[in-house]
């Protein structure tokens, strides 16, 4: 692929990320609100935060085609990389807050047919989206798109945690599994955010 084709591919993946996560978030929040499930509402809000990262990538790759070889492109990559890192922190802070509140308050995740279905769909879509972003990032040499792919992977982990928490609660009565897994995911998100931001380097053009 040419540089232009790779940019177009990255842009399309970013548009899909935003569109899919907005739909996923809306369905999850509605299903969670109807069932009184904090886990599903949190999962939906997580999807909205993921769409922020996709929006950053649209901004990153939406510039002029001739920008790729310019100093402005390097500066744009630097800013995009840091913005993606900040979205990791936003998501991590929210997940940590919700997890601790649920653990201390004894709030149990509520299983619903629609909620479980959207989580399962996410576990199918997110790995494919992650791989597509990762491969495109490697071919472009884009650190910001690689960081965005990690956020997609993190959201896949969130999907697995929500589903695992629901299963353990239903089968073994272990409602604590959901918030404990959430705390572990929050720690990983904070680490990824720190590493993403500190990986950035000043433009040397």
């Amino acid at each position: 692929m040419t540089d232009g084709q790779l940019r177009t591919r990255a842009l399309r993946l970013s548009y899909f990320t935003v569109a899919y996560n907005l739909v996923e978030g809306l369905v999850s929040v509605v299903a969670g609100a109807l069932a009184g499930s904090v886990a599903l509402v949190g999962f939906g809000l997580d999807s909205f935060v993921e769409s922020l990262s996709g929006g950053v990538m649209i901004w990153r790759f939406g510039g002029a085609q001739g920008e790729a070889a310019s100093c402005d492109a390097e500066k744009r990559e630097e800013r995009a990389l840091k913005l993606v890192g900040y979205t990791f922190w936003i998501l991590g802070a929210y997940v940590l807050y919700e997890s601790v509140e649920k653990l201390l308050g004894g709030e149990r995740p509520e299983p619903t047919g629609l909620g479980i279905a959207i989580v399962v769909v996410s576990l199918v879509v997110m790995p494919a989206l992650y791989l597509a972003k990762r491969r495109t990032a490697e071919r472009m040499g884009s650190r910001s798109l690689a960081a965005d792919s990690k956020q997609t992977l993190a959201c896949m982990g969130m999907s697995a945690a929500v589903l695992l928490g629901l299963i353990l609660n239903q089968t073994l009565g272990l409602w604590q599994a959901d918030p404990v897994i959430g705390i572990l995911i929050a720690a990983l998100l904070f680490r990824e955010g720190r590493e993403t931001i500190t990986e950035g380097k000043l433009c040397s053009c």
Side-chain angles (χ1 to χ4, degrees):
M1 285 188 178
T2 65
D3 288 343
Q5 289 174 324
L6 287 171
R7 284 169 60 89
T8 299
R9 179 180 173 84
L11 197 56
R12 287 175 178 172
L13 287 170
S14 299
Y15 277 120
F16 178 81
T17 296
V18 172
Y20 174 80
N21 279 283
L22 287 176
V23 173
E24 180 184 74
L26 181 61
V27 173
S28 299
V29 168
V30 170
L34 292 175
S37 171
V38 177
L40 283 176
V41 171
F43 176 68
L45 295 178
D46 160 43
S47 299
F48 290 141
V49 176
E50 165 71 1
S51 70
L52 290 178
S53 181
V56 170
M57 291 299 98
I58 291 173
W59 168 79
R60 163 66 181 92
F61 296 111
Q65 293 295 323
E67 185 194 47
S70 69
C71 183
D72 287 342
E74 188 176 343
K75 291 179 179 178
R76 196 178 183 94
E77 176 87 352
E78 171 88 9
R79 290 194 297 268
L81 190 65
K82 288 184 178 180
L83 286 173
V84 171
Y86 293 140
T87 62
F88 272 116
W89 283 352
I90 292 171
L91 179 54
Y94 175 77
V95 172
L96 179 62
Y97 171 79
E98 285 294 324
S99 299
V100 171
E101 185 179 55
K102 286 167 59 180
L103 189 61
L104 296 179
E107 298 180 51
R108 298 170 181 262
E110 297 282 342
T112 67
L114 180 59
I116 291 176
I118 193 66
V119 172
V120 171
V121 170
S122 178
L123 286 173
V124 174
V125 173
M126 288 300 171
L129 184 58
Y130 162 73
L131 290 174
K133 287 181 179 181
R134 189 70 185 178
R135 289 168 181 168
T136 303
E138 289 174 353
R139 296 181 70 176
M140 293 182 69
S142 173
R143 292 173 296 137
S144 59
L145 185 59
D148 181 62
S149 73
K150 288 183 180 180
Q151 183 138 337
T152 299
L153 186 64
C155 288
M156 182 183 70
M158 171 65 79
S159 303
V162 171
L163 185 59
L164 179 62
L166 291 172
I167 292 174
L168 290 177
N169 179 43
Q170 281 295 100
T171 59
L172 301 176
L174 296 176
W175 64 268
Q176 298 92 341
D178 182 75
V180 169
I181 292 173
I183 291 172
L184 294 176
I185 290 176
L188 291 175
L189 289 170
F190 285 131
R191 187 193 69 179
E192 290 291 349
R194 177 179 57 81
E195 290 181 353
T196 298
I197 292 173
T198 56
E199 278 178 5
K201 60 182 181 179
L202 295 176
C203 180
S204 58
C205 296

